[in-house]
């Protein structure tokens, strides 16, 4: 399984950004996918995902400002973020795991539950 993120960059506070993750090497029904992020000096945290709940779930820190979605093939995962804040600045990672290991939602998701990771993409938000 290979995951590749696209769409990071530097934005001003209040602006929007869309991250994309392209997955290959697996059958979409066998895996679930999520976004995590890690800021310098902090632990990796779940941001949003479409997990065993069968619907998008979000961390409280991004709820209402972000939309996670998949395309029809379910090989691509997207994260649309609006009203970005400096606290959103981090390395963002796309992650996938076999359905049998999939957590219910992003709030209960731990990085150790995910078997496959992208290389990460940097998001900078300046005030």
């Amino acid at each position: 399984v290979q995951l590749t993120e696209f769409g990071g960059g530097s934005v001003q506070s209040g602006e929007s950004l869309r991250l994309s993750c392209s997955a290959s090497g697996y059958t979409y029904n066998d895996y679930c996918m999520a976004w995590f992020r890690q800021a310098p000096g902090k632990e990796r945290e779940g941001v949003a995902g479409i997990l065993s709940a069968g619907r998008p779930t979000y961390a409280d820190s991004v709820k209402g400002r972000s939309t996670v979605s998949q395309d029809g093939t379910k090989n691509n995962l997207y994260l649309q973020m609006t009203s970005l804040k400096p606290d959103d600045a981090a390395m963002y990672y796309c992650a996938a795991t076999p359905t049998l290991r999939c957590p219910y939602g992003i709030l209960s998701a731990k990085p150790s539950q995910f078997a496959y990771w992208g290389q990460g993409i940097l998001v900078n938000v300046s005030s």
Side-chain angles (χ1 to χ4, degrees), residues 32-51:
C32 62
M33 299 176 72
W35 289 99
F36 284 77
R37 69 185 181 187
Q38 189 167 18
K42 294 188 177 181
E43 293 187 354
R44 192 168 297 190
E45 61 175 2
V47 177
I50 301 176
L51 305 173

Side-chain angles (χ1 to χ4, degrees), residues 17 26 73 81 93 96-97:
L17 204 62
Y26 75 101
T73 69
M81 298 186 291
Y93 297 90
T97 201

Side-chain angles (χ1 to χ4, degrees), residues 7-20:
S10 295
V11 297
Q12 298 284 329
S13 183
E15 292 184 340
S16 300
L17 204 62
R18 188 186 195 222
L19 303 182
S20 301

Side-chain angles (χ1 to χ4, degrees), residues 49-87:
I50 301 176
L51 305 173
S52 66
R55 55 179 173 78
T57 56
Y58 301 93
D60 290 343
S61 58
V62 302
K63 196 170 186 178
R65 301 188 294 119
S66 298
T67 303
V68 63
S69 61
Q70 285 180 300
D71 67 357
T73 69
K74 297 191 178 180
N75 286 335
N76 295 291
L77 185 72
Y78 306 100
L79 181 66
Q80 176 72 46
M81 298 186 291
T82 63
S83 302
L84 283 161
K85 308 173 183 179
D87 284 350

Side-chain angles (χ1 to χ4, degrees), residues 94-117:
C94 177
T97 201
T99 301
L100 290 178
R101 293 174 56 178
C102 190
Y104 181 77
I106 199 65
L107 292 178
S108 59
K110 298 178 177 60
S112 59
Q113 294 173 296
F114 288 78
Y116 301 99
W117 292 85

